[in-house]
Amino acid sequence: MDALPTPCRHFLSLLDLTDIEARALIARAVELKRMLKAGQDHRPLPYRTLAMIFEKSSTRTRVSFETGMIQLGGHALFLSPRDTQLGRGEPVEDSARVLSRMVDAVMIRTFHQETIERFAAYSSVPVINGLSDRLHPCQLLADMQTFQEFRGDIRGRRVAWIGDGNNMCHSFLEAARLFDFELRIACPEGFEPDAALLAAASDRCTLVRDPEEAADGAHLVATDVWASMGQEDEQARRQTLFAPFQVTDAVMARTARDGLFMHCLPAHRGEEVAASVIDGPQSVVWDEAENRLHAQKALLEFLLTAAG
């Protein structure tokens, strides 16, 4: 078997960045957004290609990465399990060896974090976690950019996560450590985030059972759907258990005077969030969604420039 390739920079979790790199990346995302809206031509990645592997369906991830590569002067390839040998049983390690000899970076949106980590171990080019059941770091880059644009530095602020202790919650736990903010998590019993991730952020995180308590004085409230992709058979049970954890006007009334609401989308109005909240004046979900493009452009520029 071939030796593992020379290590390169990957983005499998937020903690693959230092705090200085993360803040610089957010600042760069804000700048790239300004440049795009000013009509400034910026194509630092000519002839570079990003392979995008999707085992889970996507709107924002696919459009933002594909558009971002085009705007940076490169190209993106959409690969689904139906279209590749990976979906027909080719080992992840073999796909990584082959693809990384043909493209300049690989983005993977899949179920298992282990799949991304195995791919990265055998890839000679940067690998990006576009989403796994464990983490969603690209979304958190956009969230941090959005908060920066609306409220400035998130350091020392209070964030409330309300709902399932899922991949988004896990990435908020990592973000609390990286960006140095307080995180309060309100979730039903039995749906807590991963114990190891929770313990690692214990100096910045509090677990509660009351959404209004979590939101008290918060500068940001975030949530996600109650049943993610692959959990559809649990939808009815989860709706009952999570009903008290809807982000309502009463929950948002407990936030700081300038508290914001975020959701990674797609959203189910009337389930995890009231329509009056997501469509209300505290919601910044559309800016948040747009910023997937700008934050990922900054990430691609960072990884591919570093890769030479």
Side-chain angles (χ1 to χ4, degrees), residues 51-179:
M52 306 185 301
I53 299 174
F54 286 89
E55 293 186 330
K56 285 190 173 186
S57 59
S58 167
T59 299
R60 281 151 292 276
T61 298
R62 178 178 179 180
V63 174
S64 56
F65 270 110
E66 191 162 343
T67 301
M69 278 300 289
I70 292 169
Q71 290 179 358
L72 293 171
H75 179 69
L77 296 171
F78 173 80
L79 303 172
S80 76
R82 296 185 302 275
D83 307 321
T84 64
Q85 295 299 329
L86 188 60
R88 299 178 61 192
E90 182 173 49
V92 169
E93 296 82 356
D94 291 357
S95 291
R97 289 186 180 98
V98 171
L99 280 177
S100 62
R101 287 174 179 243
M102 297 181 178
V103 302
D104 300 286
V106 179
M107 186 281 297
I108 305 177
R109 182 177 170 93
T110 187
F111 292 91
H112 303 296
Q113 181 75 12
E114 181 196 10
T115 300
I116 299 173
E117 293 174 355
R118 285 169 56 203
F119 196 104
Y122 287 83
S123 173
S124 57
V125 300
V127 175
I128 297 170
N129 181 357
L131 175 142
S132 71
D133 285 347
R134 183 171 179 80
L135 297 169
H136 197 357
C138 287
Q139 180 65 54
L140 261 292
L141 291 180
D143 292 359
M144 295 299 98
Q145 179 188 348
T146 306
F147 192 92
Q148 177 72 33
E149 290 175 340
F150 278 88
R151 299 290 184 261
D153 194 351
I154 200 168
R155 188 191 304 272
R157 305 293 189 100
R158 179 175 294 170
V159 176
W161 172 264
I162 298 174
D164 192 13
N166 62 7
N167 53 1
M168 277 296 299
C169 181
H170 290 164
S171 283
F172 263 104
L173 281 165
E174 293 193 341
R177 297 169 60 190
L178 192 62
F179 291 93

Side-chain angles (χ1 to χ4, degrees), residues 87-301:
R88 299 178 61 192
E90 182 173 49
V92 169
E93 296 82 356
D94 291 357
S95 291
R97 289 186 180 98
V98 171
L99 280 177
S100 62
R101 287 174 179 243
M102 297 181 178
V103 302
D104 300 286
V106 179
M107 186 281 297
I108 305 177
R109 182 177 170 93
T110 187
F111 292 91
H112 303 296
Q113 181 75 12
E114 181 196 10
T115 300
I116 299 173
E117 293 174 355
R118 285 169 56 203
F119 196 104
Y122 287 83
S123 173
S124 57
V125 300
V127 175
I128 297 170
N129 181 357
L131 175 142
S132 71
D133 285 347
R134 183 171 179 80
L135 297 169
H136 197 357
C138 287
Q139 180 65 54
L140 261 292
L141 291 180
D143 292 359
M144 295 299 98
Q145 179 188 348
T146 306
F147 192 92
Q148 177 72 33
E149 290 175 340
F150 278 88
R151 299 290 184 261
D153 194 351
I154 200 168
R155 188 191 304 272
R157 305 293 189 100
R158 179 175 294 170
V159 176
W161 172 264
I162 298 174
D164 192 13
N166 62 7
N167 53 1
M168 277 296 299
C169 181
H170 290 164
S171 283
F172 263 104
L173 281 165
E174 293 193 341
R177 297 169 60 190
L178 192 62
F179 291 93
D180 195 18
F181 58 80
E182 177 192 356
L183 180 65
R184 291 185 176 181
I185 298 171
C187 62
E189 290 189 26
F191 294 90
E192 296 83 1
D194 177 82
L197 292 175
L198 192 61
S202 60
D203 58 334
R204 294 176 177 85
C205 179
T206 304
L207 186 64
V208 300
R209 300 301 179 191
D210 181 359
E212 292 191 23
E213 180 184 351
D216 189 39
H219 302 94
L220 168 63
V221 174
T223 191
D224 192 8
V225 295
W226 291 338
S228 299
M229 282 178 283
Q231 298 174 331
E232 289 81 4
D233 58 339
E234 301 178 30
Q235 179 72 34
R237 174 173 171 265
R238 283 173 172 260
Q239 277 189 284
T240 300
L241 292 172
F242 280 85
F245 292 84
Q246 183 184 103
V247 180
T248 61
D249 291 300
V251 170
M252 294 304 297
R254 295 287 296 272
T255 66
R257 183 176 58 84
D258 59 350
L260 299 176
F261 172 76
M262 293 189 192
H263 192 304
C264 59
L265 302 178
H268 298 159
R269 289 167 175 79
E271 291 185 16
E272 73 274 5
V273 60
S276 55
V277 171
I278 194 171
D279 298 320
Q282 292 176 279
S283 174
V284 292
V285 297
W286 313 122
D287 298 270
E288 179 190 7
E290 177 192 346
N291 283 341
R292 289 291 302 279
L293 170 64
H294 310 297
Q296 287 161 192
K297 284 173 65 178
L299 176 65
L300 288 164
E301 186 183 61

Side-chain angles (χ1 to χ4, degrees), residues 36-56:
L36 179 65
K37 293 185 182 300
Q40 185 173 343
D41 188 20
H42 178 65
R43 288 180 280 182
L45 302 179
Y47 307 110
R48 299 294 188 93
T49 300
L50 171 70
M52 306 185 301
I53 299 174
F54 286 89
E55 293 186 330
K56 285 190 173 186

